[in-house]
Amino acid sequence: MRLFQCQSCGNILYFENRTCERCGHSLAYLPETGTMSALEPAGGDRWTPLALPDRSSRFCANAVHDACNWLVPPDSDDQFCLACRHNGIIPDISNPDHLEAWRKMEVAKHRLFYTLLRWKLPLTTRAEDPEHGLIFNFLADPPADGPKVMTGHDNGVITIALVEADDAEREKRRTAMGEPYRTLLGHFRHEVGHHYWDVLVRDAGKLDACRAVFGDDSQDYGEALQRHYNEGVPPNWQENFVSAYATTHPWEDFAETWAHYLHIVDTLEMASAFGMQVQPLLDATGTLAARIGFDPYAAESIEQIVSTWLPVTFALNSVNRAMGLNDLYPFVLAPPVIAKLGFIHDLVHGRV
């Protein structure tokens, strides 16, 4: 994730900003160019971005609910932006609690789409491809006793349980499941990993290459899941998997590794935007030193990414501990895990 700058006054802007706090200009994100721009009214419902004054456009229809700050591409007749056009079911937003939860969902979803658009990954809507197009359903649990909504993916349909936007409930679930990490953004990144396994691996004829790294995905998924919950994780799982859940089945290993790759790249870009570097005063050998002098989204190799990521996380984990907080990144990247991250890196860059 980047920092941005107001074209009117030079103020630093963040991805979710709606208004420049210094000059008062309305702001919008232009997804087709990856730019946050100050706006000038252009008549009716149209706005002229100062970053691209010849490309006046409209806000996404979800902006009226304070759930989106993106402009619709100028040549589009769609009501929705490049992210919100992938929405299927949203909750009943006449309920204030549902509206607030949905807004939190949209923050995470838009950060996901920032990444997908940066890499120009395939983004087909359900209307364009009724069988495999990407669509998000944000579902509230039924009011009466009954089955709860399960977050998951099914052939392009990603369902996110609305209750995951409740910080207390999400923490309760994290603790109950023994997870070191559970966030809305993590859910989005994981579930979309399943979608891109379909698109970039299965449908692109790369099953053999993927199986050589992640294992045989043809094993029964239901049985693997049941075994995971009945028997737990194998001993020394950290030597080969990025998380305990990744041990369940090769599909979950892929999705977990995909999510972690997105975590790492996007966090490094944000650290780079702040000019962060790590150079411990007591590190005479330089082992824990790192400077992010490259674009993580365009990195040449996974080694370049990981060699920078490890010192950065050592530092940030230590800072969190000084505040009595959990580690920012509570995971171990063993060599086999780095190899799996390398597969994801090559996949998104079209090198597999």
Side-chain angles (χ1 to χ4, degrees), residues 184-255:
L184 278 179
L185 186 52
H187 282 313
F188 277 93
R189 287 172 171 166
H190 174 97
E191 298 305 339
V192 88
H194 287 298
H195 172 67
Y196 281 108
W197 184 90
D198 291 350
V199 174
L200 300 180
V201 176
R202 183 195 64 191
D203 299 344
K206 297 173 182 174
L207 277 173
D208 289 342
C210 188
R211 286 169 177 168
V213 178
F214 290 95
D216 182 10
D217 57 87
S218 65
Q219 61 181 282
D220 187 274
Y221 177 78
E223 291 180 3
L225 193 65
Q226 194 63 46
R227 183 169 58 251
H228 171 77
Y229 288 119
N230 289 343
E231 302 177 10
V233 297
N236 303 320
W237 62 266
Q238 296 96 331
E239 296 177 3
N240 293 287
F241 298 92
V242 73
S243 70
Y245 191 59
T247 68
T248 304
H249 186 277
W251 287 342
E252 298 301 346
D253 193 9
F254 180 93

Side-chain angles (χ1 to χ4, degrees), residues 55-219:
R55 296 173 64 115
S56 68
S57 188
R58 298 169 286 106
F59 270 102
C60 173
N62 284 335
V64 71
H65 304 298
D66 197 24
C68 181
N69 66 338
W70 288 25
L71 291 185
V72 176
D75 56 352
S76 174
D77 294 328
D78 205 320
Q79 289 184 293
F80 299 100
C81 69
L82 293 181
C84 291
R85 69 184 189 138
H86 289 272
N87 283 5
I89 301 171
I90 66 169
D92 175 10
I93 57 176
S94 66
N95 180 326
D97 292 336
H98 287 182
L99 175 59
E100 181 59 27
W102 176 52
R103 286 171 176 161
K104 291 180 180 180
M105 295 279 186
E106 289 295 341
V107 168
K109 189 198 77 185
H110 281 72
R111 283 187 170 248
L112 170 68
F113 272 84
Y114 168 88
T115 293
L116 304 181
L117 291 166
R118 283 292 307 273
W119 281 320
K120 297 181 173 58
L121 294 177
L123 282 169
T124 305
T125 66
R126 209 66 177 179
E128 294 164 336
D129 182 351
E131 293 187 8
H132 304 290
L134 181 62
I135 187 170
F136 293 85
N137 293 331
F138 308 126
L139 303 181
D141 287 333
D145 291 339
K148 303 297 185 183
V149 174
M150 298 294 292
T151 293
H153 166 267
D154 182 14
N155 207 22
V157 180
I158 292 177
T159 300
I160 307 288
L162 197 67
V163 71
E164 290 285 350
D166 184 316
D167 294 340
E169 178 60 29
R170 194 173 61 255
E171 176 62 15
K172 178 182 176 182
R173 295 184 179 196
R174 185 194 69 79
T175 303
M177 299 183 73
E179 299 171 340
Y181 168 92
R182 190 181 184 96
T183 67
L184 278 179
L185 186 52
H187 282 313
F188 277 93
R189 287 172 171 166
H190 174 97
E191 298 305 339
V192 88
H194 287 298
H195 172 67
Y196 281 108
W197 184 90
D198 291 350
V199 174
L200 300 180
V201 176
R202 183 195 64 191
D203 299 344
K206 297 173 182 174
L207 277 173
D208 289 342
C210 188
R211 286 169 177 168
V213 178
F214 290 95
D216 182 10
D217 57 87
S218 65
Q219 61 181 282

Side-chain angles (χ1 to χ4, degrees), residues 2-47:
R2 299 168 173 168
L3 293 174
F4 302 91
Q5 191 170 36
C6 178
Q7 293 80 11
S8 174
C9 69
N11 191 33
I12 294 294
L13 306 174
Y14 300 92
F15 186 62
E16 284 85 17
N17 284 160
R18 307 291 204 267
T19 305
C20 178
E21 296 298 326
R22 178 181 292 173
C23 69
H25 270 81
S26 294
L27 304 171
Y29 185 69
L30 284 56
E32 67 276 16
T33 60
T35 307
M36 179 72 76
S37 182
L39 306 174
E40 293 285 356
D45 62 352
R46 300 191 73 83
W47 296 83

